[in-house]
Each structure stands twice: as C-alpha cells, then as structure tokens.
Amino acid sequence: MLLILFALPAFAGLLLWLARPNVKTSRRIALLISGILIISAAWLVQQTSQGAVQVMAFGGWRPPYGIAFAADALSSAFILLQALLLGITFLALRVEQHGEETLLRAHPLALFLTSGLIGGFLTGDLFNLFVMFEAVLISSYLLLQIPGTRRSLAGALPVIVVNFVASALFLAGLGLLYGMTGSVNLADLSEQLVNAPPNLRRVALALLVVAFGTKAAIVPLSFWMPASYPTLAAPLAALFAGIMTKLGVYALLRIHALISLDPGLSEALIWAGGASALVGVLAALSQYEMRRLLSFHSVSQVGYIVAALGLGEPLGLAAALFFALHHSLVKSSLYLVADELERRNATRDLRKMDFRRTGGGLLALCFGVAAFSLAGLPPLSGFFGKLSVFRAAFEAESFVLLGLLLVASLFTLASMLKIWRFAFARKPAPKKGEFHTQFQPGALGLLVTLILVLGFSAGPVYTYALEAAKENIDGSKYREAVFNAMGEGPIGKP
Amino acid sequence: MEGMRLSEGLQISLTTAAVLLPAIVGLILLGWPNGTWAARGLGILASAGTALIVLLLMIAGADAVLQVWEMAPQLFIRVAWRVNFATLSLCVLVSGIGALVQHFAGAYFGRTDKARCALGTLLIFESAMLGLILSDDLFLLFTFWELTGLCSFFLITTDSDKRADTFAAAQQALVVTVGGALPMMVGFIALAVMTGTSSLTALASSPPPLGVQTVALALILPGILSKSAQVPLHFWLPGAMAAPTPISAYLHSATMVKAGIILLLYLFPICGASWLWSSSLIPIGVLTCLWGSYRALGQDDIKLLMAWSTVSQLGLMVITAGLGTDLAIRAATLYLFAHAIFKAGLFLGIGGIDHSAHTRRLSELGGLGRRAPALAVVVALLAGSMAGLPPFAGFLSKELVLKKLLMAEPFLHDLAVLGIVLGSVGTVAYTCRFYFGCFAGLPRSEETEKALPIGWNFLFAPAVLGVLSLFGGLGAVLVDRFFLEPTTAALLGYSLAVPELRLWHGVNVPLILSTGIVISGYAVHRFIGSKPLPAGPLPSGSQLFESFLAGAQSIGGSLNRGLAGAPPAVYIALALALAFSPALWLIEPALDQMLTPWSITGLLILVLLGIGLALLVSLPTKVGRILALTTVGFSVALLYGQLSAPDLVLTQLLVEVLTTVFFLLAVRFLVGKEPNESKSTGLNALRWLFASLIGAASAALALTVHKLPADGRLPDYFFSAAPEVAHGLNLVNVTLVDFRALDTLVETLVVILACVGVLGLLTGREWPSRKKSEHEKHA
C-alpha cells in the first residue's frame, strides 16, 4: 500500500507525459488517480490512527542498512491532506478557464510533485527525504514554468535559488549527522544522537532547521516566498500555497525528536514562529494584491505552526499538526477565491475591484467561511487551531509568545476584512445594476465544505493529532516497527 | 416553581430546538430570494415560538445541565445547555424583544429584499444570543459570543447601499469586540486548564483558588469591556448606529451589548471573590457612566444620544455588578432587564419618530407631541422608566441600586456613589433633552411641521415595551416574587433573604436621593438648554482606532519594502549565517589542524586554487569568470588526487567539464550588459569576511567530525553484505543500485524531469511566441 501511494502518481505522471492523451482523457485519468490516492490515504489514516506503524523496507534490506518507508499517524495525515488537495486541484483545473496546454502540462507535473511529497511524508530515511525534496523541487520548478512567460521565469528564480541553498544546507547537516552517528535512518538517528557531542549536534540540527525553516518560510527565512507564484494558474497556486510550506513543517515535525535534544533550538523555533506570525500578518495587511496578501499570510500562519512545534510536548505538536491541516485547506480555498475575483474584475489590485462584479451570493459565502476561519472565528476550523496553539502556549507558560500570537490574530481579522471591504462590501453606487457572472462553486465549494467538516469534527481530528503527537514524542513504536521491518531474523536478506 | 416534570431527553430537545429555531428560519429566509413576502411573518413566528418553548421549560421548572454533544473533549469543548430560571428568563427577554423587533422591522423596512436579508440575519443573531445565554461550556459560550459579533458586523452594513460609512463602522465593531475577546479566550483557557473543567456550573459550585480567579478575570475583562462598550473600548457602539434603527434597538441596546454584563453575572460566583473584581469594575464603570452621560448631552441626533445613553447605562450596570455582593448582583440583574425593555422600546420609538418626521435631529424636531400624540405617550412611558421616575420599572431598579450602594464598603464606595449619582443626574438630563426636544415646543423645521401620526404597525412594539415598563414598576411585588427572586437565586446558587421589593418603602434615604437626582437632572437640562455640549479636546476612540490600523499597515509596508524586495543573495546570506552561527565556536579548536604543515604539492595546489578564486572575483567578463571557476574546480580535483581518492577526482573532473560546457553554452543566450559591480569597498570587505567565516566554519566542522571515532556498523555491514548477499564487489555500485536503489531511482526521475523540462522550456511551442509578443509589448 505504501508503495502504491508513492509509485502510482509517479507512474501515472510518466504515462500521461509520454502518451500525451487528449485533454479529456488526461483529466479523467488525473481525477481517477487522485481518487485512488484519497481512498488509499484514508485507509492509511484509519490503519495508523491506533498507533500502528506501517513499514516497508526497500530491496529487502533491513533498516538502518536499507531505506524504509514508515507511515505513522503523522505521515498519514499529511498524505491524506495532499491527496485531497491534489483532487481538488485537478477538479479546479478546467479547460475552459485555463486552456488545454496548461492542463496537459499540469497533470503529469502535479502527479510527479505528489509522488515526491508523498515519498517525503513516507520515508523513514533522512537522505531519502533529501532525494524526495529534490523531486518536489524540480517538479514545482517545472510547474512554475507552465505559463511560459518572462514573468513566470523571473518569479520562479528566487524560489529555485533559495530552495537550492536550503537543500545544500540540508545535505551539509545530513553529512554531519552521518559523520557523527554513521546512520541516516531516522529511527536509528533518534537513538544514536542522544550520546553525540552536543556542540556538533547543535550545528547539524541547526543546518537542518534552517533548511526546513526556509522551505516552511518562517521569518527571517521567508522573504523569498511572497513573490513566488504570481503567474501560476490559480488551482496550482492553491496547491502550492496549501502544501509546499507544509513539507518544511512536516520535516520539522518528523525530526522533532532530534530537535528536542537541543533546548536552544526549540527556543529558537518558538521565537522565529512568534516573529513570523506578527511580521507576516503586518506585511499582509499592507498589501493591495490579494495573492501577495495571502502569501504573506502563509508566513504568519506557518509562524503559529512552528511556534507550537517549538513548544513541544504532545499539546504543542498536536496543535501544530491540527493547525497545519486547517491552514492548508483554508489557504487553498482563499487562492481559488482570489482567482475568481481576479478573473471577474480583470485586475489584481483590490482597490480596483467592484462589488457589483463579485456580488454577494455563493462566492461571498465561500470567502466568508475561509476568511473567518483563517481569522479564527468559531465554530470554524481556525478557531480550534488557534485554541489548541494558545492552550499549548499557555500550558508551556510561554506568555510572550501568547501575546505575539494574540496581536497577530487581531491583524489577521483586520486583513481579511480588508479584502472584504474592497471586493465584497456594497457601497453606494452612482450607477445601478449588477454584472452577474455565473459562479460554479465546484472545487471551491468542496474545499469550503471540508473546512466546515474539519470545524465540526475538530474533536476527533484533534484527538487523532494528539495521539500522533504522543507517538512522535515517544517514538518507541516507530522505532520498533522500523527495526522489525524484516522480522526478527538475522541482519540482511532472508 | 412546581409543575409538570419533563424528562431530560425532552428538555434537551426543547432547549436545542429553542436555540436553533430562529437560526433555521433565518437561514431559510437568507437562501430564499422569493421569500420577501414571508419574512416578517416567519420572523415573528420563529421568535415567538422560541419564547413559547422557553416559557414551557420555565413553567416546568427546568433546572439542569443538559449534555448534548461532547464535541472536542480534549479541547474542553462540549455542547451543554444550562437551563435554570435565570438563563431561561434571559431567553424570554431576548426572544420576546426579538419578536417585537421583527414586528417593527417588518413595518420599518417594508417588503424589500433588504428586509428579508436583515430579518434573516437578525434571526441568526437571536439564536447566537440564546446560545450564549444557555451555554454551560466556556468555549461554547465563546463561540456564540463571536457569532453575535459576526452577525452584528453584517447587520451594521445593512444600509451600505445608501451610506458610505457603514463598512468602517462595522469593521470597528467587529475588530474591537473580537480583539477584546482574544484575551478572554486565553482567560477561558486559563480557567479550564487550571481547574480541569470548562463547565460554568461546575466552576460556580467549586470556585478556583483566588490567584486563578484574579488571573482569569484580568484576561476575561477586555472581552467583557469591549462587548459591553466600556471606556476606553466604547467607541464602536455609537459608530454601530450606522445600522438601521430596529437593528440598533435589538443588538446595540437590548441584547448583544448586554452579553458582557450577562457574562459578569455568570462569572460572579466563579471569580467574584478576587480583589480585582471591584477595583477594576467600579472605576471603569464610573468612567463609562459619566462619559456616556456627558456625550449623550452633546448629541444632536437622537439615535446617537440614545447610543451614548446606552454606554452610560452599561457603565451603571458594571458599577453595580462591580460592587460584588449578592445584593448588588440582584440589583444589576433587575437593571439589566429594565434597561433592555425600555431601551429597546426607545430605539423603536426613535424609528417611529424618524418615520413620522423624517429627521432625527433635535435641531429640526419639536412639537411632535401634538402631531403624534400616541407616539408621545408611548415614548413617555419608556423615557420615564429610563429617567428612573416612579412608578416605572426603571425607578424600581435604580432604587435598588441606590439602596445597595448605601450598604457598600467604604473605599470604592465613594467613587461608586459619585458615579451612580452623577450618572443618574445625567440620565435625567438627557432624557429631558430627548423627550422635550422631540415632543414639546414648536417644530424647528418644515419637515417636522409636516410630521404625521404613525400607525399601529409602528407603534405596537414600543407600546408593548412601554406597558411592560409601567407594569414592571406597578407590580413590584409580583416582579420580585415571580421573577427577581428566582432569577437571583439561580444566578447565585442560593436564595437571598431580603425584604421584598416594593414601589413604596416610605420616606428613606434612597427615595430622597432619587428625588434629588430627578430635580437636579431637570435643573441641568434647563441650565444647558438645547445646545449640544462640546466633545472636548481628546481624539475620539474611533479616530485612534483608525490611526492604529493605518499605523500597523504602514509598519507592514516598510517591513515588506525592506525585506521582501531584496535580491536572493541577501536571503542566502541570512540562511547561511543562521545555519552556521553555532559552528563558529568550532573554528578555534580546529585551527591547529587546519594549519598543520602542508606538503609542497598541497601548497602549490592551494596557491592555484587561490589564484582561481582571485580571478573569479576580479575578472570583468562572464566568460572569464566561468573559466576561473573551472580553475577552482580543477584545483579541488587535484587536491582529491593528492589525498589519494581517484574516484572522487574522476567525478569532480567530469562534473567540472560538463558544467563549464553548459555554462559557456548558456552564456550565449544571456542578453544584457555585463555585470557592472561598483559596490563600495566596505561592502566587498564585508563579503570577504562573511565568506571566510562560513568557509572556516565549514572546514572546522569537517575536521571536528573527522576526529570523532568512526561508527563501523554500516560500513562493516556493507562490506560483508555486498559480496555475500548482493553479489557485487564494487561497494559504490552495490550501494547505488541495491542498498539505496530507491534514492537512485528517484534521482534518475529528477534528472529526466530536469532534462525534459529544460527541453520543453527551450523548444516549447508557446515559449518563443510569448516571448516575442512580450518583447513587442515592451517595444
């Protein structure tokens, strides 16, 4: 099953790329694949929710000697999230709006991207994670090139350069860890690293944290992000916004057991997170272009996640996981709304938008749900995310962080209201009349429904996150499962 | 209260139905574009239906905590209703006034689409308010609390097609109340975490330790103060008057702004023992009460006058609750009900005045008494109650407040007396100003001269409320026995043994005080005359709020300009600096090893490498730099050779050759000028320093790791397993294709993707044509 999750999108991607079927077939296959992925991921979530860890050792080599995939509750949650977002992206990519060529290019590339991401979520091997990062990076670079314009090339450049440097730092950290412990297997590292010399260990982990922090786009490593995907077709931008920063978040969560060996690093994460939350939202508040506003918001929201992660303890990690899930859904739907607004108004500038083009109705409802969820109003998913983060901060007695997050929350609301004001609020108009445009909620409606579902099933989801967090901190089940991947027999091939 | 017994299941169903009924009807109205004709009828039915259900529960003597749904137990969120006499009577108040407002609003808006939306949203608000009152869980209460604010946001913008200022007002109201609620949320978390429960009932029956009470109260207070419009967070309330009058009547006087007071009443058994209770509530309440009264005397628009009067009277309620004894809670409760009734009625009456005279300005009104006598009588009933004249309910409640006051403790007592007495004088004064300004004298404008009496359609709701105000006072004994006593008992958890409430207690101190207040209030009114009082030199809260937002925005703007526009090199430097800073401490211990004598060949290679580097940074042309870079690469290969690692030499050479070739090919396509670096020497020195430090740190790292004892587990295993199990003698090959085959596979995919991607970029059909068209656009 783990292999299917990883290999299916890759093979489907290759198939679509090489065979170049017509658009309809391509779309059907893409949707079919994402459907299968969603079902398998849901199955995986169900399997791992009780603390079971699914392991698959490649080539029959027993970890830590070979590479193993290991899926616990944490990985499964991210895999399901990615599968859902992929399906929604494929649903939202429509020939009528985005053109045949975009679809034909986007389908295989998004599948490659998914394969890399799922591989990253699954792998139990730090070097393999690096390789998966590469796969993600190259497919996202190619996705960024789809528009084929000068602007898209220019926009993609900083993304690539910065991510490349981050990868190099990752590799350096990885090398150090290998030098210190002789292993790159995560389960093994968490045991070996306990006795490593602290000063070296700190450097190695700092390299990893900076690498992942850059990918997650936290302050002060975040400023490449907002300019990154201005020309991308909206559904793809939604996919990027939803998941790309989460790979960094996932990696940080995955190596949390290692990070927590060094209290200084956790402390650094808390402050970086708090600073991100505030700086990101202030920068967002000053924007007049909705996509830019939203991507600054990602910096801010990822700040909440990383701060919670730095707080550690089951409460902090559970909060980080819950918040990450919530934020992906909300941010993706806001990007889809942004696209709809840009198309209707034929402008990116909020100030030039006209409420009569956007009108009330379903689009406003969709935006309202997503925006107020982002602002953390109950009973939407964002409220539970915020509640869990605040609670973690409170119990960790991190009151300054709590203050920072409170202020950031206030400005989050203000910035969402800013969009509302320009795009949706009615104003006394000199000329009467509405320009009615048809709006089919489709993918956006589905996402918004997911947000509502997440809000109302916050209880079970949070319980799941808490279990995953406890698992992650304890780590014994994970280690046991990985080391026993090949049964109890002697080392090597049976 | 004895009566029929309802099973718990039935109670749960009835309570949930009562809470949800208005919202469901409201949602139907919002989603039913052709339902305009039915809006008013459905709205009244829903509110009245809820009121009936609640009354039924009341008659049945429901008194329980009803668990409905364990929504997120790990986050302390449960859906649980607390039904007792107090919560149910608050619900009757909310749904009863709701039905009346729906009746009035139907007439006020007419059968318009706007009415349908406004009435629908009002119904949703009503549900939220009922939920807030009935919640047993702190976070459920919080949910409804925020929902009321959200409904208020949308309702304030009802008239956005006519007025330009509605959005700013709505935004202010939402941001201030939600902002205040943020610390409140933390306060709730504090209570829940430190006591292990988030149930109001459980908390009230075993209050937390005093320290926890104080911390929680301090955090919760901003929420209460912002919602109930206390100075300095009061300014959103007058702004919210941009909403149509029926909405202001319902949300911004009768119900939503009471949420803070209601929460105070709920919190009294939980946090009331804290020293903070009185010492924070009384000063804030006094300030609010006085400032509200003063500003009410400064308004020309009677609706704004009424809004400021609401601010002032909310202050009065906070003072009373702040006295912090069970008797004070009783007085505050009575005042809350009396105020909701007369203030809702007065707002509706203002709607009537507006409808009759087409103006709300005191400078234009006057003489309405003769033109609309029925309205004058109804408003008189309500205004009399507000001014605290006998025999109205307002008199009764003010009397109770004063009586309580005279028994209070000495320290804060003086302040509270001052606030309440002066505030009451102000109340009488602005009531006179309002009432005589509208109804007495002669019309002050032509519009007003043409004023017409209004129909029962408009008059019914305020009349009902006026009559209630009157009978509330006249029937003091009944009110006490059947309403106030059980309500207070339910709020406090025990019955109070106090003398009965009466309209006439004989001549005593409160009565004398009351009389004095009325007389001096009237005197103040005569003295000031009809001119509005000035607002004073202080900037208004809403101005401060706007500049606060603007300030945040400009800080954000400079952050953005300063950081988001920098070239990638800056980000790279930042990432490197952060990542390598812990490694700087390793340089010094490793220094010895770095400087240990090198062989002659090694030194020569180093010199070569240095020359390459120097060329790289100093050559002016791209091609030259590429060649210099190649020199550096080859030197490294030589170094590998000197350290006897031939496989690395081969790899390095191959990579160098290929990159150089590709680089040179790519340079051909690069258009534009050669990089022209005229950076200052200072900056260059900084770069040198930075690069050297990072380089030294990396070298130190490598050397330090190298010194560690090697861990042999993996290499030993690989050496033995490669020939025996994998049947390959070349360890590198076996690693690539067997031990770590997955890495190789994925990397191959990456390379293929890169190649095909680049090919697509270079030969794609769209690419050149787009480029051309863009080029033409630029030209």
Side-chain angles (χ1 to χ4, degrees), chain B residues 121 141 165 230 256 313 359 363 392 402 408 444 559 575 620 754:
Chain B
T121 318
L141 185 147
D165 59 345
Q230 300 295 299
M256 191 182 80
Q313 281 159 342
T359 177
S363 52
F392 299 105
L402 288 172
R444 284 183 280 270
L559 277 174

Side-chain angles (χ1 to χ4, degrees), chain A residues 124-475:
Chain A
D125 185 282
L126 206 53
F127 186 79
N128 194 235
L129 181 65
F130 170 78
V131 174
M132 296 300 177
F133 268 36
E134 296 279 282
V136 169
L137 186 59
I138 189 76
S139 6
S140 59
Y141 182 58
L142 293 179
L143 275 169
L144 285 169
Q145 296 310 332
I146 286 183
T149 58
R150 189 165 283 218
R151 198 173 165 205
S152 70
L153 272 178
L157 193 64
V159 182
I160 295 309
V161 172
V162 172
N163 272 293
F164 216 72
V165 173
S167 290
L169 293 178
F170 183 3
L171 200 58
L174 195 61
L176 270 180
L177 286 181
Y178 182 72
M180 285 153 67
T181 63
S183 176
V184 287
N185 181 286
L186 277 167
D188 196 29
L189 275 175
S190 63
E191 279 179 349
Q192 304 290 324
L193 217 52
V194 178
N195 299 319
N199 54 351
L200 263 186
R201 182 174 67 195
R202 167 172 284 193
V203 180
L205 292 174
L207 282 163
L208 292 189
V209 166
V210 168
F212 299 156
T214 308
K215 294 203 181 266
I218 49 170
V219 165
L221 304 165
S222 62
F223 289 94
W224 57 275
M225 227 267 291
S228 52
Y229 16 90
T231 56
L232 206 52
L236 294 171
L239 178 68
F240 271 52
I243 204 72
M244 289 305 270
T245 54
K246 302 302 177 306
L247 183 59
V249 168
Y250 169 80
L252 285 174
L253 275 168
R254 182 44 82 209
I255 62 161
H256 175 265
L258 310 184
I259 296 176
S260 60
L261 293 173
D262 192 327
L265 280 176
S266 298
E267 192 79 355
L269 279 180
I270 293 177
W271 294 117
S276 286
L278 194 58
V279 170
V281 78
L282 282 174
L285 195 61
S286 70
Q287 299 301 314
Y288 284 97
E289 196 180 297
M290 188 160 161
R291 284 199 195 192
R292 275 182 76 86
L293 194 155
L294 291 179
S295 49
F296 274 113
H297 252 298
S298 292
V299 174
S300 167
Q301 303 281 308
V302 167
Y304 283 76
I305 302 173
V306 169
L309 203 154
L311 292 170
E313 303 294 314
L315 281 178
L317 293 197
L321 176 56
F322 188 96
F323 206 103
L325 299 179
H326 138 76
H327 177 243
S328 288
L329 297 180
V330 167
K331 194 45 67 70
S332 293
S333 41
L334 284 174
Y335 262 90
L336 291 181
V337 173
D339 173 56
E340 194 70 29
L341 287 179
E342 282 167 9
R343 222 149 23 83
R344 289 184 180 204
N345 290 288
T347 174
R348 282 163 180 266
D349 193 334
L350 280 173
R351 285 166 294 194
K352 292 183 191 144
M353 291 195 178
D354 186 336
F355 72 94
R356 286 169 299 172
R357 292 188 199 278
T358 47
L362 278 177
L363 183 60
L365 184 69
C366 289
F367 174 73
V369 170
F372 288 124
S373 181
L374 190 77
L377 291 187
L380 300 165
S381 56
F383 167 67
F384 301 101
K386 215 164 68 174
L387 182 61
S388 52
V389 175
F390 285 4
R391 181 172 165 213
F394 185 84
E395 295 213 7
E397 301 187 355
S398 191
F399 299 119
V400 180
L401 172 71
L402 200 54
L404 284 175
L405 296 184
L406 284 181
V407 179
S409 295
L410 185 67
F411 287 125
T412 307
L413 177 67
S415 59
M416 287 297 114
L417 288 178
K418 179 172 172 176
I419 299 178
W420 184 275
R421 171 179 164 206
F422 286 114
F424 293 101
R426 296 182 165 267
K427 299 164 193 78
K431 271 184 253 162
K432 287 277 170 198
E434 306 249 331
F435 314 90
H436 266 300
T437 11
Q438 280 298 310
F439 170 60
Q440 292 165 334
L444 178 55
L446 214 61
L447 259 180
V448 168
T449 316
L450 280 178
I451 296 175
L452 291 174
V453 169
L454 182 60
F456 281 100
S457 53
V461 177
Y462 184 75
T463 310
Y464 179 89
L466 206 57
E467 285 307 312
K470 283 180 190 156
E471 240 357 84
N472 191 14
I473 287 175
D474 175 39

Side-chain angles (χ1 to χ4, degrees), chain B residues 519-533:
Chain B
I519 293 171
S520 36
Y522 185 71
V524 169
H525 164 63
R526 297 296 300 185
F527 177 74
I528 295 172
S530 59
K531 277 195 299 287
L533 292 175

Side-chain angles (χ1 to χ4, degrees), chain B residues 117-192:
Chain B
C117 294
L119 293 188
T121 318
L122 263 183
L123 285 172
I124 295 174
F125 164 78
E126 187 175 328
S127 275
M129 198 64 212
L130 293 168
L132 190 158
I133 291 167
L134 287 168
S135 297
D136 182 56
D137 184 90
L138 286 172
F139 295 101
L140 185 66
L141 185 147
F142 186 82
T143 303
F144 287 118
W145 180 284
E146 299 286 55
L147 275 180
T148 59
L150 206 55
C151 292
S152 151
F153 171 78
F154 289 114
L155 284 167
I156 293 173
T157 58
T158 302
D159 270 343
S160 57
D161 52 344
K162 281 190 267 171
R163 308 175 50 151
D165 59 345
T166 55
F167 181 83
Q171 166 169 297
Q172 235 173 59
L174 187 63
V175 173
V176 172
T177 51
V178 170
L182 282 168
M184 181 166 99
M185 183 170 157
V186 180
F188 286 174
I189 293 174
L191 270 180

